[in-house]
Amino acid sequence: EDLGIEDTAVLAAGAGKYDMAARVTNPNARWWAEFDYRFGGDATAAARHGYLLPGDAKYMLALGVKAGARPSSAGLAIENLVWHRADPHLTLPDYVTWSTARTTFAVSGITFTPSPQGDPLAISRATFTVKNETAVGYHAVGFTVALLSGGRLVGINYVTISDLRAGESRDVSASWFSELPSVSRVEVQPDVNIFDVRSYLAPGE
Protein backbone atom coordinates (compact mmCIF):
# COMPACT_ATOMS: atom_id res chain seq x y z
CA GLU A 1 0.00 0.00 0.00
CA ASP A 2 1.03 3.60 -0.55
CA LEU A 3 2.56 5.72 2.18
CA GLY A 4 0.09 7.93 4.03
CA ILE A 5 1.08 11.61 4.24
CA GLU A 6 -0.60 14.06 6.60
CA ASP A 7 -0.72 17.83 6.18
CA THR A 8 2.46 19.74 6.89
CA ALA A 9 2.73 21.79 10.09
CA VAL A 10 4.73 25.01 9.70
CA LEU A 11 5.98 26.28 13.07
CA ALA A 12 7.79 29.51 13.93
CA ALA A 13 11.39 28.79 14.98
CA GLY A 14 12.80 32.26 15.60
CA ALA A 15 13.28 35.35 13.48
CA GLY A 16 12.94 34.41 9.82
CA LYS A 17 13.06 30.66 10.53
CA TYR A 18 10.46 27.91 10.43
CA ASP A 19 10.24 24.24 11.32
CA MET A 20 8.27 21.98 8.97
CA ALA A 21 6.90 18.60 9.97
CA ALA A 22 4.64 16.09 8.23
CA ARG A 23 3.66 12.73 9.68
CA VAL A 24 4.08 9.83 7.25
CA THR A 25 2.74 6.31 7.78
CA ASN A 26 3.82 2.98 6.29
CA PRO A 27 0.76 0.67 6.47
CA ASN A 28 2.67 -2.39 5.21
CA ALA A 29 3.53 -5.10 7.72
CA ARG A 30 6.28 -6.82 5.70
CA TRP A 31 7.85 -4.00 3.70
CA TRP A 32 10.01 -1.05 4.71
CA ALA A 33 10.52 2.08 2.65
CA GLU A 34 13.50 4.28 1.78
CA PHE A 35 13.02 7.60 0.03
CA ASP A 36 14.06 11.21 -0.38
CA TYR A 37 11.71 14.01 0.59
CA ARG A 38 11.39 17.76 0.43
CA PHE A 39 8.87 20.37 1.51
CA GLY A 40 7.25 22.77 -0.93
CA GLY A 41 8.24 25.79 1.13
CA ASP A 42 11.86 24.60 1.19
CA ALA A 43 12.29 23.90 -2.53
CA THR A 44 15.83 25.28 -2.80
CA ALA A 45 17.17 22.90 -0.13
CA ALA A 46 18.66 19.53 -0.94
CA ALA A 47 16.32 16.59 -0.55
CA ARG A 48 16.55 14.81 2.79
CA HIS A 49 16.71 11.04 3.16
CA GLY A 50 14.04 9.17 5.07
CA TYR A 51 12.87 5.67 5.84
CA LEU A 52 9.93 3.95 7.48
CA LEU A 53 9.99 0.53 9.11
CA PRO A 54 7.02 -1.83 8.55
CA GLY A 55 3.90 -0.44 10.19
CA ASP A 56 5.81 2.68 11.27
CA ALA A 57 4.59 6.28 11.48
CA LYS A 58 6.83 9.26 12.15
CA TYR A 59 7.46 12.89 11.31
CA MET A 60 9.59 13.93 8.36
CA LEU A 61 11.31 17.18 9.31
CA ALA A 62 12.98 20.29 7.97
CA LEU A 63 14.15 22.36 10.92
CA GLY A 64 15.28 25.99 10.95
CA VAL A 65 14.29 26.72 7.34
CA LYS A 66 15.04 30.35 6.50
CA ALA A 67 12.21 32.26 4.85
CA GLY A 68 11.25 35.93 4.56
CA ALA A 69 7.64 35.05 5.35
CA ARG A 70 5.77 32.05 6.65
CA PRO A 71 5.63 29.50 3.79
CA SER A 72 2.07 29.32 2.49
CA SER A 73 2.57 26.06 0.59
CA ALA A 74 4.76 23.48 2.28
CA GLY A 75 3.35 20.14 1.21
CA LEU A 76 5.65 17.13 1.52
CA ALA A 77 6.88 15.50 -1.70
CA ILE A 78 8.29 11.94 -1.66
CA GLU A 79 10.95 11.11 -4.26
CA ASN A 80 13.02 8.06 -5.22
CA LEU A 81 10.85 5.69 -3.20
CA VAL A 82 12.28 2.16 -2.87
CA TRP A 83 10.49 -0.71 -1.13
CA HIS A 84 12.42 -3.48 0.66
CA ARG A 85 11.05 -6.75 1.98
CA ALA A 86 11.44 -6.87 5.75
CA ASP A 87 12.46 -10.52 5.41
CA PRO A 88 13.85 -11.09 1.90
CA HIS A 89 15.09 -14.61 2.70
CA LEU A 90 12.04 -15.68 4.75
CA THR A 91 14.23 -16.54 7.74
CA LEU A 92 12.34 -14.55 10.37
CA PRO A 93 9.52 -16.53 11.96
CA ASP A 94 8.07 -13.39 13.52
CA TYR A 95 9.13 -9.93 12.30
CA VAL A 96 7.37 -8.12 15.15
CA THR A 97 9.32 -10.07 17.81
CA TRP A 98 12.59 -9.56 15.93
CA SER A 99 12.09 -5.82 15.51
CA THR A 100 10.81 -5.24 19.05
CA ALA A 101 13.98 -6.83 20.43
CA ARG A 102 15.96 -4.15 18.55
CA THR A 103 13.81 -1.08 19.17
CA THR A 104 12.93 -1.24 22.87
CA PHE A 105 14.06 2.13 24.22
CA ALA A 106 12.37 2.96 27.53
CA VAL A 107 11.65 6.68 27.77
CA SER A 108 10.86 8.04 31.24
CA GLY A 109 10.83 11.24 33.27
CA ILE A 110 9.58 13.46 30.43
CA THR A 111 9.50 17.08 31.65
CA PHE A 112 8.82 20.30 29.76
CA THR A 113 10.12 23.59 31.13
CA PRO A 114 8.78 26.66 29.31
CA SER A 115 10.85 29.80 29.02
CA PRO A 116 10.28 32.26 31.88
CA GLN A 117 7.74 34.93 30.99
CA GLY A 118 9.50 37.99 29.62
CA ASP A 119 12.79 36.14 29.05
CA PRO A 120 14.38 37.75 25.95
CA LEU A 121 16.19 34.49 25.16
CA ALA A 122 12.92 32.50 25.22
CA ILE A 123 14.58 29.12 25.76
CA SER A 124 12.24 26.21 26.51
CA ARG A 125 13.42 22.68 27.17
CA ALA A 126 12.08 19.15 27.18
CA THR A 127 14.13 16.62 29.11
CA PHE A 128 13.80 12.86 29.49
CA THR A 129 15.78 9.72 30.25
CA VAL A 130 16.17 6.89 27.77
CA LYS A 131 17.34 3.35 28.51
CA ASN A 132 18.46 1.00 25.76
CA GLU A 133 16.67 -2.19 26.77
CA THR A 134 17.81 -4.10 23.70
CA ALA A 135 20.73 -6.53 23.66
CA VAL A 136 22.68 -4.48 21.09
CA GLY A 137 24.44 -1.14 20.97
CA TYR A 138 23.96 1.61 18.39
CA HIS A 139 26.32 4.19 16.89
CA ALA A 140 23.54 6.77 17.04
CA VAL A 141 19.89 6.86 18.06
CA GLY A 142 17.73 9.83 17.13
CA PHE A 143 14.71 11.10 19.03
CA THR A 144 11.91 13.18 17.59
CA VAL A 145 10.50 15.37 20.37
CA ALA A 146 7.03 16.73 19.62
CA LEU A 147 5.24 19.35 21.73
CA LEU A 148 1.45 19.32 21.62
CA SER A 149 -1.25 21.63 22.87
CA GLY A 150 -4.30 19.41 23.04
CA GLY A 151 -4.06 17.55 19.74
CA ARG A 152 -2.22 20.36 17.90
CA LEU A 153 1.50 20.21 17.15
CA VAL A 154 3.11 23.43 18.44
CA GLY A 155 6.81 22.54 18.51
CA ILE A 156 9.15 19.86 17.24
CA ASN A 157 12.83 19.03 17.49
CA TYR A 158 15.25 16.20 16.80
CA VAL A 159 18.19 15.17 18.97
CA THR A 160 20.75 12.41 18.53
CA ILE A 161 22.81 10.53 21.10
CA SER A 162 25.93 8.62 20.12
CA ASP A 163 27.24 5.20 21.14
CA LEU A 164 24.22 4.02 23.09
CA ARG A 165 25.21 0.61 24.45
CA ALA A 166 22.95 -2.25 25.54
CA GLY A 167 21.47 -1.58 28.98
CA GLU A 168 22.78 2.01 29.09
CA SER A 169 20.67 4.97 30.26
CA ARG A 170 21.16 8.57 29.13
CA ASP A 171 19.61 11.90 30.02
CA VAL A 172 18.49 13.80 26.91
CA SER A 173 17.49 17.41 26.39
CA ALA A 174 15.83 19.23 23.47
CA SER A 175 15.66 23.04 23.33
CA TRP A 176 13.52 25.64 21.57
CA PHE A 177 14.70 29.22 21.11
CA SER A 178 11.41 30.94 20.31
CA GLU A 179 8.19 31.64 22.15
CA LEU A 180 5.82 28.67 22.29
CA PRO A 181 2.10 28.32 22.99
CA SER A 182 0.96 26.41 26.05
CA VAL A 183 2.22 22.80 25.95
CA SER A 184 0.02 20.05 27.38
CA ARG A 185 1.93 16.96 26.25
CA VAL A 186 5.38 15.90 25.05
CA GLU A 187 5.83 12.90 22.77
CA VAL A 188 9.23 11.25 22.27
CA GLN A 189 9.81 8.79 19.41
CA PRO A 190 13.12 6.89 19.06
CA ASP A 191 14.52 6.65 15.55
CA VAL A 192 17.02 4.02 14.36
CA ASN A 193 17.14 1.98 11.16
CA ILE A 194 17.45 -1.62 12.34
CA PHE A 195 17.89 -2.81 8.74
CA ASP A 196 21.09 -0.78 8.29
CA VAL A 197 24.10 -2.77 9.54
CA ARG A 198 25.96 0.52 10.00
CA SER A 199 23.58 1.39 12.84
CA TYR A 200 25.05 -1.24 15.17
CA LEU A 201 28.09 -1.06 17.41
CA ALA A 202 30.42 -3.99 16.94
CA PRO A 203 30.77 -6.32 19.95
CA GLY A 204 33.21 -4.77 22.40
CA GLU A 205 32.88 -1.19 21.08
mmCIF file of all heavy atoms in Angstrom, residues 86-130:
data_model
loop_
_atom_site.group_PDB
_atom_site.id
_atom_site.type_symbol
_atom_site.label_atom_id
_atom_site.label_comp_id
_atom_site.label_asym_id
_atom_site.label_seq_id
_atom_site.Cartn_x
_atom_site.Cartn_y
_atom_site.Cartn_z
ATOM 1 N N ALA A 86 10.888 -6.812 4.390
ATOM 2 C CA ALA A 86 11.437 -6.874 5.747
ATOM 3 C C ALA A 86 12.197 -8.170 5.974
ATOM 4 O O ALA A 86 13.118 -8.230 6.785
ATOM 5 C CB ALA A 86 10.322 -6.733 6.773
ATOM 6 N N ASP A 87 11.836 -9.213 5.239
ATOM 7 C CA ASP A 87 12.461 -10.520 5.410
ATOM 8 C C ASP A 87 12.686 -11.137 4.028
ATOM 9 O O ASP A 87 11.953 -12.034 3.614
ATOM 10 C CB ASP A 87 11.576 -11.418 6.263
ATOM 11 C CG ASP A 87 12.241 -12.757 6.580
ATOM 12 O OD1 ASP A 87 13.437 -12.897 6.280
ATOM 13 O OD2 ASP A 87 11.550 -13.631 7.117
ATOM 14 N N PRO A 88 13.697 -10.634 3.289
ATOM 15 C CA PRO A 88 13.847 -11.086 1.902
ATOM 16 C C PRO A 88 14.149 -12.569 1.761
ATOM 17 O O PRO A 88 13.873 -13.167 0.722
ATOM 18 C CB PRO A 88 15.010 -10.232 1.389
ATOM 19 C CG PRO A 88 15.760 -9.823 2.612
ATOM 20 C CD PRO A 88 14.712 -9.670 3.682
ATOM 21 N N HIS A 89 14.724 -13.191 2.797
ATOM 22 C CA HIS A 89 15.091 -14.608 2.700
ATOM 23 C C HIS A 89 14.143 -15.517 3.494
ATOM 24 O O HIS A 89 14.399 -16.708 3.637
ATOM 25 C CB HIS A 89 16.536 -14.811 3.167
ATOM 26 C CG HIS A 89 17.510 -13.960 2.429
ATOM 27 N ND1 HIS A 89 17.753 -14.092 1.081
ATOM 28 C CD2 HIS A 89 18.300 -12.923 2.850
ATOM 29 C CE1 HIS A 89 18.646 -13.197 0.700
ATOM 30 N NE2 HIS A 89 18.985 -12.473 1.740
ATOM 31 N N LEU A 90 13.053 -14.920 4.014
ATOM 32 C CA LEU A 90 12.039 -15.676 4.750
ATOM 33 C C LEU A 90 12.649 -16.490 5.897
ATOM 34 O O LEU A 90 12.330 -17.644 6.116
ATOM 35 C CB LEU A 90 11.280 -16.611 3.795
ATOM 36 C CG LEU A 90 10.570 -15.915 2.625
ATOM 37 C CD1 LEU A 90 9.893 -16.951 1.736
ATOM 38 C CD2 LEU A 90 9.552 -14.908 3.121
ATOM 39 N N THR A 91 13.564 -15.857 6.620
ATOM 40 C CA THR A 91 14.225 -16.537 7.738
ATOM 41 C C THR A 91 13.680 -16.090 9.091
ATOM 42 O O THR A 91 14.021 -16.675 10.115
ATOM 43 C CB THR A 91 15.741 -16.270 7.712
ATOM 44 O OG1 THR A 91 15.961 -14.855 7.726
ATOM 45 C CG2 THR A 91 16.365 -16.870 6.457
ATOM 46 N N LEU A 92 12.871 -15.045 9.099
ATOM 47 C CA LEU A 92 12.344 -14.551 10.371
ATOM 48 C C LEU A 92 10.972 -15.160 10.626
ATOM 49 O O LEU A 92 10.024 -14.921 9.875
ATOM 50 C CB LEU A 92 12.200 -13.027 10.342
ATOM 51 C CG LEU A 92 13.489 -12.211 10.196
ATOM 52 C CD1 LEU A 92 13.162 -10.737 10.139
ATOM 53 C CD2 LEU A 92 14.440 -12.490 11.332
ATOM 54 N N PRO A 93 10.828 -15.946 11.678
ATOM 55 C CA PRO A 93 9.516 -16.535 11.956
ATOM 56 C C PRO A 93 8.495 -15.493 12.396
ATOM 57 O O PRO A 93 7.299 -15.662 12.223
ATOM 58 C CB PRO A 93 9.804 -17.542 13.063
ATOM 59 C CG PRO A 93 11.052 -17.027 13.722
ATOM 60 C CD PRO A 93 11.853 -16.385 12.641
ATOM 61 N N ASP A 94 8.976 -14.396 12.991
ATOM 62 C CA ASP A 94 8.067 -13.388 13.518
ATOM 63 C C ASP A 94 8.778 -12.039 13.465
ATOM 64 O O ASP A 94 9.595 -11.716 14.329
ATOM 65 C CB ASP A 94 7.663 -13.744 14.949
ATOM 66 C CG ASP A 94 6.687 -12.750 15.549
ATOM 67 O OD1 ASP A 94 6.419 -11.724 14.908
ATOM 68 O OD2 ASP A 94 6.202 -13.007 16.652
ATOM 69 N N TYR A 95 8.453 -11.225 12.462
ATOM 70 C CA TYR A 95 9.127 -9.933 12.296
ATOM 71 C C TYR A 95 8.899 -9.031 13.507
ATOM 72 O O TYR A 95 9.820 -8.336 13.953
ATOM 73 C CB TYR A 95 8.653 -9.219 11.026
ATOM 74 C CG TYR A 95 9.071 -7.770 11.019
ATOM 75 C CD1 TYR A 95 10.393 -7.411 10.778
ATOM 76 C CD2 TYR A 95 8.158 -6.757 11.333
ATOM 77 C CE1 TYR A 95 10.795 -6.086 10.834
ATOM 78 C CE2 TYR A 95 8.547 -5.440 11.389
ATOM 79 C CZ TYR A 95 9.865 -5.108 11.140
ATOM 80 O OH TYR A 95 10.262 -3.799 11.206
ATOM 81 N N VAL A 96 7.675 -9.019 14.037
ATOM 82 C CA VAL A 96 7.368 -8.123 15.152
ATOM 83 C C VAL A 96 8.270 -8.419 16.351
ATOM 84 O O VAL A 96 8.831 -7.511 16.970
ATOM 85 C CB VAL A 96 5.885 -8.231 15.544
ATOM 86 C CG1 VAL A 96 5.604 -7.424 16.802
ATOM 87 C CG2 VAL A 96 4.994 -7.756 14.406
ATOM 88 N N THR A 97 8.447 -9.710 16.684
ATOM 89 C CA THR A 97 9.316 -10.074 17.807
ATOM 90 C C THR A 97 10.753 -9.661 17.535
ATOM 91 O O THR A 97 11.442 -9.111 18.401
ATOM 92 C CB THR A 97 9.245 -11.588 18.063
ATOM 93 O OG1 THR A 97 7.903 -11.939 18.389
ATOM 94 C CG2 THR A 97 10.163 -12.000 19.199
ATOM 95 N N TRP A 98 11.219 -9.919 16.312
ATOM 96 C CA TRP A 98 12.592 -9.565 15.929
ATOM 97 C C TRP A 98 12.836 -8.066 16.033
ATOM 98 O O TRP A 98 13.844 -7.624 16.573
ATOM 99 C CB TRP A 98 12.848 -10.062 14.508
ATOM 100 C CG TRP A 98 14.204 -9.749 13.973
ATOM 101 C CD1 TRP A 98 15.348 -10.476 14.139
ATOM 102 C CD2 TRP A 98 14.573 -8.618 13.161
ATOM 103 N NE1 TRP A 98 16.407 -9.863 13.484
ATOM 104 C CE2 TRP A 98 15.953 -8.724 12.874
ATOM 105 C CE3 TRP A 98 13.860 -7.534 12.645
ATOM 106 C CZ2 TRP A 98 16.636 -7.791 12.104
ATOM 107 C CZ3 TRP A 98 14.533 -6.585 11.875
ATOM 108 C CH2 TRP A 98 15.916 -6.726 11.615
ATOM 109 N N SER A 99 11.906 -7.269 15.516
ATOM 110 C CA SER A 99 12.091 -5.821 15.510
ATOM 111 C C SER A 99 11.947 -5.231 16.911
ATOM 112 O O SER A 99 12.702 -4.325 17.289
ATOM 113 C CB SER A 99 11.105 -5.162 14.551
ATOM 114 O OG SER A 99 9.769 -5.407 14.944
ATOM 115 N N THR A 100 10.998 -5.757 17.696
ATOM 116 C CA THR A 100 10.809 -5.244 19.052
ATOM 117 C C THR A 100 12.067 -5.445 19.893
ATOM 118 O O THR A 100 12.436 -4.580 20.709
ATOM 119 C CB THR A 100 9.612 -5.933 19.723
ATOM 120 O OG1 THR A 100 8.434 -5.678 18.957
ATOM 121 C CG2 THR A 100 9.416 -5.441 21.140
ATOM 122 N N ALA A 101 12.748 -6.554 19.681
ATOM 123 C CA ALA A 101 13.978 -6.831 20.427
ATOM 124 C C ALA A 101 15.087 -5.844 20.079
ATOM 125 O O ALA A 101 16.078 -5.745 20.812
ATOM 126 C CB ALA A 101 14.450 -8.253 20.141
ATOM 127 N N ARG A 102 14.943 -5.106 18.984
ATOM 128 C CA ARG A 102 15.959 -4.154 18.545
ATOM 129 C C ARG A 102 15.531 -2.702 18.657
ATOM 130 O O ARG A 102 16.303 -1.800 18.335
ATOM 131 C CB ARG A 102 16.345 -4.465 17.086
ATOM 132 C CG ARG A 102 17.165 -5.741 16.974
ATOM 133 C CD ARG A 102 17.129 -6.340 15.570
ATOM 134 N NE ARG A 102 18.008 -7.511 15.499
ATOM 135 C CZ ARG A 102 17.705 -8.703 15.989
ATOM 136 N NH1 ARG A 102 16.532 -8.890 16.586
ATOM 137 N NH2 ARG A 102 18.552 -9.714 15.891
ATOM 138 N N THR A 103 14.309 -2.464 19.106
ATOM 139 C CA THR A 103 13.808 -1.083 19.170
ATOM 140 C C THR A 103 13.188 -0.744 20.517
ATOM 141 O O THR A 103 12.429 0.224 20.621
ATOM 142 C CB THR A 103 12.756 -0.848 18.072
ATOM 143 O OG1 THR A 103 11.702 -1.814 18.195
ATOM 144 C CG2 THR A 103 13.374 -0.966 16.684
ATOM 145 N N THR A 104 13.510 -1.498 21.552
ATOM 146 C CA THR A 104 12.926 -1.235 22.868
ATOM 147 C C THR A 104 13.799 -0.222 23.611
ATOM 148 O O THR A 104 14.805 -0.577 24.222
ATOM 149 C CB THR A 104 12.784 -2.538 23.681
ATOM 150 O OG1 THR A 104 12.001 -3.467 22.930
ATOM 151 C CG2 THR A 104 12.083 -2.263 24.998
ATOM 152 N N PHE A 105 13.392 1.043 23.509
ATOM 153 C CA PHE A 105 14.059 2.131 24.224
ATOM 154 C C PHE A 105 13.039 2.697 25.214
ATOM 155 O O PHE A 105 12.028 3.269 24.811
ATOM 156 C CB PHE A 105 14.523 3.221 23.260
ATOM 157 C CG PHE A 105 15.485 2.728 22.214
ATOM 158 C CD1 PHE A 105 15.022 2.387 20.947
ATOM 159 C CD2 PHE A 105 16.832 2.584 22.490
ATOM 160 C CE1 PHE A 105 15.894 1.921 19.973
ATOM 161 C CE2 PHE A 105 17.708 2.116 21.530
ATOM 162 C CZ PHE A 105 17.237 1.781 20.270
ATOM 163 N N ALA A 106 13.294 2.497 26.494
ATOM 164 C CA ALA A 106 12.366 2.955 27.530
ATOM 165 C C ALA A 106 12.599 4.439 27.792
ATOM 166 O O ALA A 106 13.701 4.844 28.180
ATOM 167 C CB ALA A 106 12.573 2.151 28.800
ATOM 168 N N VAL A 107 11.574 5.232 27.553
ATOM 169 C CA VAL A 107 11.647 6.683 27.770
ATOM 170 C C VAL A 107 10.866 7.013 29.039
ATOM 171 O O VAL A 107 9.702 6.635 29.189
ATOM 172 C CB VAL A 107 11.069 7.445 26.563
ATOM 173 C CG1 VAL A 107 11.060 8.947 26.844
ATOM 174 C CG2 VAL A 107 11.892 7.143 25.304
ATOM 175 N N SER A 108 11.501 7.716 29.962
ATOM 176 C CA SER A 108 10.861 8.042 31.242
ATOM 177 C C SER A 108 11.229 9.454 31.663
ATOM 178 O O SER A 108 12.150 10.076 31.113
ATOM 179 C CB SER A 108 11.291 7.041 32.320
ATOM 180 O OG SER A 108 12.701 7.098 32.526
ATOM 181 N N GLY A 109 10.507 9.938 32.672
ATOM 182 C CA GLY A 109 10.826 11.242 33.265
ATOM 183 C C GLY A 109 10.708 12.410 32.317
ATOM 184 O O GLY A 109 11.483 13.375 32.416
ATOM 185 N N ILE A 110 9.734 12.362 31.394
ATOM 186 C CA ILE A 110 9.583 13.460 30.430
ATOM 187 C C ILE A 110 9.095 14.713 31.166
ATOM 188 O O ILE A 110 8.081 14.696 31.862
ATOM 189 C CB ILE A 110 8.585 13.082 29.322
ATOM 190 C CG1 ILE A 110 9.073 11.871 28.544
ATOM 191 C CG2 ILE A 110 8.368 14.261 28.381
ATOM 192 C CD1 ILE A 110 8.086 11.363 27.513
ATOM 193 N N THR A 111 9.839 15.803 31.007
ATOM 194 C CA THR A 111 9.502 17.078 31.648
ATOM 195 C C THR A 111 9.665 18.201 30.638
ATOM 196 O O THR A 111 10.643 18.237 29.882
ATOM 197 C CB THR A 111 10.427 17.346 32.847
ATOM 198 O OG1 THR A 111 10.310 16.268 33.783
ATOM 199 C CG2 THR A 111 10.067 18.648 33.541
ATOM 200 N N PHE A 112 8.700 19.111 30.612
ATOM 201 C CA PHE A 112 8.817 20.298 29.758
ATOM 202 C C PHE A 112 8.910 21.534 30.633
ATOM 203 O O PHE A 112 8.092 21.736 31.533
ATOM 204 C CB PHE A 112 7.614 20.425 28.822
ATOM 205 C CG PHE A 112 7.671 21.670 27.979
ATOM 206 C CD1 PHE A 112 8.589 21.780 26.944
ATOM 207 C CD2 PHE A 112 6.820 22.725 28.247
ATOM 208 C CE1 PHE A 112 8.655 22.940 26.184
ATOM 209 C CE2 PHE A 112 6.875 23.890 27.478
ATOM 210 C CZ PHE A 112 7.790 23.988 26.439
ATOM 211 N N THR A 113 9.918 22.355 30.383
ATOM 212 C CA THR A 113 10.122 23.594 31.127
ATOM 213 C C THR A 113 10.010 24.762 30.158
ATOM 214 O O THR A 113 10.902 24.964 29.316
ATOM 215 C CB THR A 113 11.499 23.616 31.801
ATOM 216 O OG1 THR A 113 11.652 22.452 32.622
ATOM 217 C CG2 THR A 113 11.663 24.867 32.644
ATOM 218 N N PRO A 114 8.917 25.523 30.218
ATOM 219 C CA PRO A 114 8.779 26.663 29.305
ATOM 220 C C PRO A 114 9.734 27.781 29.685
ATOM 221 O O PRO A 114 10.234 27.851 30.813
ATOM 222 C CB PRO A 114 7.317 27.087 29.497
ATOM 223 C CG PRO A 114 6.984 26.634 30.882
ATOM 224 C CD PRO A 114 7.774 25.376 31.126
ATOM 225 N N SER A 115 9.988 28.659 28.725
ATOM 226 C CA SER A 115 10.852 29.800 29.016
ATOM 227 C C SER A 115 10.147 30.726 30.011
ATOM 228 O O SER A 115 8.923 30.879 29.971
ATOM 229 C CB SER A 115 11.170 30.567 27.728
ATOM 230 O OG SER A 115 9.969 31.052 27.142
ATOM 231 N N PRO A 116 10.896 31.335 30.932
ATOM 232 C CA PRO A 116 10.283 32.260 31.883
ATOM 233 C C PRO A 116 9.608 33.419 31.141
ATOM 234 O O PRO A 116 10.108 33.897 30.126
ATOM 235 C CB PRO A 116 11.476 32.749 32.719
ATOM 236 C CG PRO A 116 12.515 31.689 32.551
ATOM 237 C CD PRO A 116 12.333 31.150 31.171
ATOM 238 N N GLN A 117 8.471 33.853 31.642
ATOM 239 C CA GLN A 117 7.739 34.930 30.995
ATOM 240 C C GLN A 117 8.600 36.182 30.959
ATOM 241 O O GLN A 117 9.194 36.591 31.952
ATOM 242 C CB GLN A 117 6.436 35.206 31.753
ATOM 243 C CG GLN A 117 5.465 36.071 30.985
ATOM 244 C CD GLN A 117 4.093 36.070 31.635
ATOM 245 O OE1 GLN A 117 3.957 35.728 32.813
ATOM 246 N NE2 GLN A 117 3.072 36.441 30.895
ATOM 247 N N GLY A 118 8.704 36.783 29.783
ATOM 248 C CA GLY A 118 9.501 37.985 29.617
ATOM 249 C C GLY A 118 10.970 37.732 29.353
ATOM 250 O O GLY A 118 11.754 38.675 29.199
ATOM 251 N N ASP A 119 11.379 36.477 29.301
ATOM 252 C CA ASP A 119 12.785 36.145 29.045
ATOM 253 C C ASP A 119 13.114 36.473 27.591
ATOM 254 O O ASP A 119 12.526 35.893 26.674
ATOM 255 C CB ASP A 119 13.017 34.665 29.313
ATOM 256 C CG ASP A 119 14.475 34.245 29.136
ATOM 257 O OD1 ASP A 119 15.290 35.095 28.723
ATOM 258 O OD2 ASP A 119 14.787 33.074 29.406
ATOM 259 N N PRO A 120 14.060 37.391 27.344
ATOM 260 C CA PRO A 120 14.380 37.754 25.954
ATOM 261 C C PRO A 120 14.999 36.598 25.173
ATOM 262 O O PRO A 120 14.938 36.576 23.949
ATOM 263 C CB PRO A 120 15.377 38.916 26.104
ATOM 264 C CG PRO A 120 15.958 38.743 27.475
ATOM 265 C CD PRO A 120 14.865 38.149 28.306
ATOM 266 N N LEU A 121 15.593 35.621 25.869
ATOM 267 C CA LEU A 121 16.193 34.494 25.163
ATOM 268 C C LEU A 121 15.148 33.446 24.788
ATOM 269 O O LEU A 121 15.339 32.687 23.836
ATOM 270 C CB LEU A 121 17.281 33.849 26.027
ATOM 271 C CG LEU A 121 18.482 34.730 26.347
ATOM 272 C CD1 LEU A 121 19.461 33.977 27.244
ATOM 273 C CD2 LEU A 121 19.189 35.174 25.062
ATOM 274 N N ALA A 122 14.052 33.389 25.511
ATOM 275 C CA ALA A 122 12.923 32.502 25.224
ATOM 276 C C ALA A 122 13.379 31.071 24.954
ATOM 277 O O ALA A 122 13.077 30.486 23.926
ATOM 278 C CB ALA A 122 12.126 33.032 24.031
ATOM 279 N N ILE A 123 14.108 30.493 25.913
ATOM 280 C CA ILE A 123 14.582 29.120 25.760
ATOM 281 C C ILE A 123 13.679 28.187 26.568
ATOM 282 O O ILE A 123 13.540 28.328 27.781
ATOM 283 C CB ILE A 123 16.040 28.973 26.234
ATOM 284 C CG1 ILE A 123 16.958 29.884 25.423
ATOM 285 C CG2 ILE A 123 16.493 27.518 26.111
ATOM 286 C CD1 ILE A 123 18.400 29.880 25.898
ATOM 287 N N SER A 124 13.047 27.247 25.867
ATOM 288 C CA SER A 124 12.240 26.213 26.511
ATOM 289 C C SER A 124 12.935 24.876 26.314
ATOM 290 O O SER A 124 13.636 24.674 25.315
ATOM 291 C CB SER A 124 10.839 26.162 25.901
ATOM 292 O OG SER A 124 10.190 27.411 26.015
ATOM 293 N N ARG A 125 12.719 23.961 27.251
ATOM 294 C CA ARG A 125 13.415 22.678 27.169
ATOM 295 C C ARG A 125 12.483 21.520 27.514
ATOM 296 O O ARG A 125 11.631 21.634 28.394
ATOM 297 C CB ARG A 125 14.620 22.637 28.110
ATOM 298 C CG ARG A 125 15.791 23.489 27.668
ATOM 299 C CD ARG A 125 17.011 23.262 28.564
ATOM 300 N NE ARG A 125 18.171 23.988 28.072
ATOM 301 C CZ ARG A 125 18.441 25.252 28.357
ATOM 302 N NH1 ARG A 125 17.632 25.921 29.162
ATOM 303 N NH2 ARG A 125 19.512 25.848 27.863
ATOM 304 N N ALA A 126 12.682 20.426 26.805
ATOM 305 C CA ALA A 126 12.077 19.145 27.175
ATOM 306 C C ALA A 126 13.212 18.206 27.540
ATOM 307 O O ALA A 126 14.205 18.099 26.809
ATOM 308 C CB ALA A 126 11.267 18.575 26.016
ATOM 309 N N THR A 127 13.098 17.551 28.671
ATOM 310 C CA THR A 127 14.129 16.619 29.112
ATOM 311 C C THR A 127 13.488 15.261 29.384
ATOM 312 O O THR A 127 12.308 15.165 29.727
ATOM 313 C CB THR A 127 14.833 17.120 30.388
ATOM 314 O OG1 THR A 127 13.860 17.302 31.424
ATOM 315 C CG2 THR A 127 15.546 18.448 30.130
ATOM 316 N N PHE A 128 14.280 14.215 29.227
ATOM 317 C CA PHE A 128 13.800 12.863 29.494
ATOM 318 C C PHE A 128 15.005 11.946 29.644
ATOM 319 O O PHE A 128 16.148 12.319 29.328
ATOM 320 C CB PHE A 128 12.880 12.354 28.368
ATOM 321 C CG PHE A 128 13.481 12.376 26.996
ATOM 322 C CD1 PHE A 128 14.094 11.252 26.464
ATOM 323 C CD2 PHE A 128 13.419 13.528 26.221
ATOM 324 C CE1 PHE A 128 14.643 11.269 25.186
ATOM 325 C CE2 PHE A 128 13.974 13.556 24.933
ATOM 326 C CZ PHE A 128 14.577 12.423 24.429
ATOM 327 N N THR A 129 14.748 10.751 30.128
ATOM 328 C CA THR A 129 15.776 9.721 30.254
ATOM 329 C C THR A 129 15.411 8.564 29.343
ATOM 330 O O THR A 129 14.245 8.166 29.282
ATOM 331 C CB THR A 129 15.885 9.226 31.706
ATOM 332 O OG1 THR A 129 16.232 10.323 32.553
ATOM 333 C CG2 THR A 129 16.946 8.135 31.838
ATOM 334 N N VAL A 130 16.397 8.042 28.643
ATOM 335 C CA VAL A 130 16.170 6.894 27.773
ATOM 336 C C VAL A 130 17.087 5.757 28.207
ATOM 337 O O VAL A 130 18.250 5.979 28.552
ATOM 338 C CB VAL A 130 16.404 7.242 26.285
ATOM 339 C CG1 VAL A 130 17.819 7.725 26.039
ATOM 340 C CG2 VAL A 130 16.094 6.056 25.401
#
